């Protein structure tokens, strides 16, 4: 991942290669077993949790990863799914997708400082008080935001080191637990204690966000080959990082399912190996949450940068620091994290899952529509299924998304409706800002892929034969904006 000079002697930004991209996807989705304890509690025992992490990936993670691989290599630019939706349904819905997914991502990122402190409070009870908790949350957010500002390649290599460090104590714990494991303990389930809303929300959250890394596609070296390999490697890493610790913890201990709350793996480590393993797991939790925060913030910030380059947001969102990072976009995401981190783990989880579900349904619809609308779009990686098979591939995860949305509380429905309404109103406001030149917007069109593969050229250099305008409506379209939006809404 070295730096190369261009023809003018200016250094280009280092690109992400395979291993750092696997680590970033791993942290976008998982980061290790921290936070999966709720699946045991909500499932009334280990059986439903173990079955969930075996079955859910087949119907959810793998289809989402495959679709991400196809679309991210077809649209190898920053912005990811915003490009996909804009190409399929136009810029209005592309903007809505970007707004929903960004808001969901910021809410997701607000979980990690909270989860970090939930692990530490088992050893430092003072963190239960607001006097200590609020400064700690602010300090963690500021420190990790600065690391993100320093460069994506640093974040990528940091993620590799953090992943190794975070998973190693669980490998040790699993080996120590082998003599104590009793298979019958894995089969325990008390259906009277099952909290289906909490169970599905926990499962869904721990296995989603495979599409998030697509927002960094423009920063990846040779994305047409790197993305599919990275997604495949990350799927395996995520599944095993969940199953092995849960098998070890629930199989070796006689614990009540109600004890399995956020941070409980630290106690499991102490009961299996002693205080040294408890402290090691807590340190690993701290490092894992660093990686989760960095990966999520990178995805959120580069999504805003990509939307700015498309002309969907003011051009200052695309401003890069000397390290190549989108400074304003990072600050915007960090501010959202600070405002949301006062909420509880379960509250944040349910809100972000609902918004994420809406966005994913739109992505699946865009995937099918692009297969029909643009059959000759250059797809460096293509799922080996025809249109009918591709539609069937989207059906099981779509059913899961609808189920998660149906389980949402009335409060979640109301807040999500407000956020959606804000997105609908924000789009015409930005159109007005562009037309009246209240602020500067980029006016270029972004190449999204070509209809044929030109030998000897990289996908990024292809000219677009059937180019899609993924930008705000031009000045001459302003008169029809209001009517068009009313029709869409």
């Amino acid at each position: 991942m070295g730096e190369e000079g261009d023809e003018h002697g200016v250094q280009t930004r280092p690109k992400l290669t395979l291993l750092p991209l696997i680590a970033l996807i791993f942290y976008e989705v998982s980061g290790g077993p921290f936070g999966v304890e709720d699946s045991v509690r909500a499932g009334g025992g280990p059986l439903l949790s173990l079955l969930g992490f075996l079955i859910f990936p087949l119907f959810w993670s793998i289809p989402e990863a495959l679709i991400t691989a196809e679309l991210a290599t077809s649209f190898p630019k920053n912005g990811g799914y915003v490009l996909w939706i804009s190409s399929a349904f136009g810029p209005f819905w592309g903007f809505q997708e970007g707004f929903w997914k960004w808001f969901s991502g910021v809410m997701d990122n607000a979980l990690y400082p909270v989860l970090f402190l939930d692990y530490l409070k088992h050893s430092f009870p003072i963190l239960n008080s607001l006097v200590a908790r609020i400064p700690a949350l602010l300090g963690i957010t500021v420190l990790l935001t600065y690391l993100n500002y320093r460069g994506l390649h640093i974040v990528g290599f940091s993620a590799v080191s953090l992943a190794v460090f975070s998973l190693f104590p669980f490998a040790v714990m699993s080996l120590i637990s082998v003599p104590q494991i009793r298979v019958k303990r894995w089969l325990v389930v008390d259906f009277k204690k099952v909290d289906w809303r909490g169970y599905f929300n926990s499962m869904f959250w721990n296995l989603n966000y495979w599409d998030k890394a697509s927002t960094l596609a423009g920063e990846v070296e040779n994305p047409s080959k790197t993305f599919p390999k990275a997604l495949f490697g990350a799927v395996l890493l995520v599944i095993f990082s969940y199953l092995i610790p849960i098998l070890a913890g629930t199989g070796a201990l006689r614990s009540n399912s109600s004890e399995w709350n956020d941070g409980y793996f630290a106690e499991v480590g102490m009961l299996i190996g002693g205080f040294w393993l408890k402290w090691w797991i807590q340190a690993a939790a701290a490092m894992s949450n660093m990686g989760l925060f960095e990966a999520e913030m990178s995805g959120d910030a580069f999504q805003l940068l990509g939307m700015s380059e498309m002309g969907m947001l003011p051009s200052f969102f695309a401003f890069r620091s000397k390290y190549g990072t989108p400074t304003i976009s990072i600050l915007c995401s960090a501010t959202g994290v600070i405002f949301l981190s006062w909420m509880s783990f379960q509250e944040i989880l349910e809100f972000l899952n609902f918004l994420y579900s809406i966005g994913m349904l739109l992505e699946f619809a865009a995937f099918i529509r692009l297969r029909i609308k643009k059959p000759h779009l250059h797809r460096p990686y293509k799922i080996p299924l025809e249109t009918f098979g591709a539609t069937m591939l989207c059906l099981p995860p779509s059913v899961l998304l609808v189920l998660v949305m149906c389980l949402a509380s009335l409060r979640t429905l109301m807040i999500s409706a407000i956020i959606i309404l804000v997105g609908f109103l924000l789009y015409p406001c930005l159109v007005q800002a562009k037309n009246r030149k209240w602020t500067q917007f980029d006016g270029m069109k972004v190449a999204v892929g070509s209809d044929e593969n030109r030998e000897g050229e990289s996908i990024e250099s292809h000219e677009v034969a059937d180019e899609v305008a993924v930008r705000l409506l031009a000045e001459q379209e302003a008169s029809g904006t209001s009517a068009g939006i009313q029709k869409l809404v």
Side-chain angles (χ1 to χ4, degrees):
M1 248 170 66
E3 296 185 356
E4 298 176 358
D6 62 16
E7 61 182 356
H8 301 292
V10 179
Q11 284 190 325
T12 57
R13 293 182 297 274
K15 293 284 190 177
L16 285 170
T17 51
L18 180 60
L19 197 58
L21 185 57
I22 289 176
L24 278 174
I25 295 173
F26 171 69
Y27 274 113
E28 293 280 10
V29 177
S30 165
F34 311 102
V36 303
E37 298 98 332
D38 264 351
S39 67
V40 178
R41 179 193 57 78
L47 181 61
L48 288 183
S49 177
L50 292 170
L51 288 176
F53 287 119
L54 282 170
I55 297 172
F56 271 67
L58 299 176
F59 295 99
W60 170 248
S61 301
I62 292 175
E64 187 185 1
L66 288 172
I67 290 167
T68 298
E70 177 170 319
L71 293 175
T73 53
S74 301
F75 300 81
K77 301 290 181 182
N78 293 330
Y81 34 74
V82 179
L83 278 163
W84 315 341
I85 305 302
S86 297
S87 180
F89 300 115
F92 174 83
W93 289 109
F95 177 84
Q96 301 310 317
E97 172 78 3
F99 183 71
W100 300 337
K101 292 305 260 315
W102 177 81
F103 207 97
S104 171
V106 171
M107 295 184 81
D108 183 55
N109 221 10
L111 284 173
Y112 304 127
V114 173
L115 194 58
F116 171 57
L117 294 182
D118 282 347
Y119 264 85
L120 289 186
K121 72 183 182 184
H122 288 280
S123 297
F124 303 98
I126 191 174
L127 292 174
N128 283 310
S129 68
L130 290 177
V131 175
R133 194 174 183 87
I134 291 175
L137 285 170
L138 288 172
I140 293 167
T141 303
V142 170
L143 177 64
L144 296 181
T145 299
Y146 175 74
L147 180 60
N148 208 280
Y149 164 77
R150 285 300 304 269
L152 188 58
H153 64 294
I154 293 177
V155 172
F157 276 122
S158 298
V160 175
S161 303
L162 290 172
V164 173
F165 182 82
S166 300
L167 294 177
F168 198 53
F170 290 100
V172 172
M173 184 185 79
S174 300
L175 289 174
I176 295 174
S177 70
V178 170
Q180 306 172 49
I181 287 177
R182 302 293 180 267
V183 174
K184 64 180 181 180
R185 293 173 184 163
W186 295 334
L187 307 178
V188 174
V189 58
D190 184 350
F191 284 103
K192 294 180 181 178
K193 294 183 178 180
V194 175
D195 171 14
W196 290 110
R197 178 190 294 174
Y199 173 74
F200 279 105
N201 272 310
S202 179
M203 280 291 158
F204 184 65
W205 176 68
N206 281 294
L207 290 167
N208 64 12
Y209 282 94
W210 296 98
D211 61 332
K212 195 68 179 184
S214 68
T215 61
L216 307 170
E219 312 298 312
V220 175
E221 183 177 290
N222 195 3
S224 62
K225 293 183 179 180
T226 305
F227 248 102
K229 293 178 182 177
L231 283 162
F232 177 75
V235 166
L236 295 179
L237 186 59
V238 166
I239 293 172
F240 284 113
S241 73
Y242 288 157
L243 282 175
I244 292 175
I246 294 177
L247 286 168
T250 58
L253 302 175
R254 290 181 178 178
S255 56
N256 194 306
S257 63
S258 62
E259 296 175 346
W260 285 78
N261 291 304
D262 303 324
Y264 187 65
F265 263 125
E267 298 301 311
V268 171
M270 183 187 70
L271 294 172
I272 291 177
F275 278 98
W276 64 273
L277 188 54
K278 174 182 178 179
W279 281 92
W280 193 4
I281 289 175
Q282 286 180 331
M287 296 298 102
S288 175
N289 280 284
M290 281 181 60
L292 287 161
F293 188 99
E294 298 298 347
E296 181 63 54
M297 179 163 282
S298 295
D300 293 338
F302 275 93
Q303 178 194 317
L304 294 182
L305 178 145
M307 291 176 72
S308 179
E309 290 177 342
M310 299 170 208
M312 287 186 170
L313 290 175
S315 58
F316 58 78
F317 280 100
F319 173 76
R320 290 182 186 252
S321 69
K322 62 181 179 180
Y323 305 108
T325 49
T327 308
I328 304 299
S329 296
I330 288 175
L331 289 175
C332 188
S333 297
T335 302
V337 169
I338 290 171
F339 276 105
L340 291 168
S341 57
W342 60 271
M343 298 171 67
S344 72
F345 184 89
Q346 285 298 331
E347 285 177 325
I348 298 173
L349 195 64
E350 190 171 314
F351 288 139
L352 73 89
N353 279 349
F354 191 90
L355 283 178
Y356 184 82
S357 297
I358 297 174
M360 281 308 307
L361 287 172
L362 197 54
E363 285 183 32
F364 290 148
F367 169 69
I368 296 169
R369 181 170 173 80
L370 287 171
R371 278 293 190 98
I372 299 170
K373 180 183 175 183
K374 295 177 179 286
H376 302 296
L377 177 71
H378 178 64
R379 294 173 169 87
Y381 171 81
K382 184 178 181 180
I383 301 171
L385 295 171
E386 297 303 321
T387 303
F388 178 78
T391 303
M392 290 298 101
L393 180 69
C394 296
L395 188 59
S398 297
V399 171
L400 176 61
L401 290 168
V402 173
L403 176 61
V404 169
M405 293 170 66
C406 290
L407 290 172
S409 65
L410 180 60
R411 184 184 179 191
T412 296
L413 291 173
M414 291 176 62
I415 294 177
S416 299
I418 292 171
I419 293 170
I420 292 169
L421 180 61
V422 169
F424 281 6
L425 296 176
L426 191 58
Y427 184 84
C429 290
L430 289 170
V431 171
Q432 281 289 97
K434 180 179 181 181
N435 291 337
R436 295 181 179 273
K437 296 181 170 55
W438 291 340
T439 186
Q440 184 179 350
F441 286 78
D442 287 336
M444 66 178 183
K445 290 184 178 181
V446 179
V448 296
S450 67
D451 290 338
E452 58 185 54
N453 189 4
R454 299 185 180 184
E455 188 175 356
E457 295 183 15
S458 66
I459 182 66
E460 290 86 353
S461 65
H462 285 164
E463 294 295 329
V464 180
D466 184 18
E467 190 179 69
V468 58
V470 283
R471 56 186 176 129
L472 287 174
L473 300 179
E475 286 80 355
Q476 60 266 30
E477 297 173 306
S479 59
T481 298
S482 299
I485 292 173
Q486 288 173 2
K487 183 178 178 181
L488 283 167
V489 177

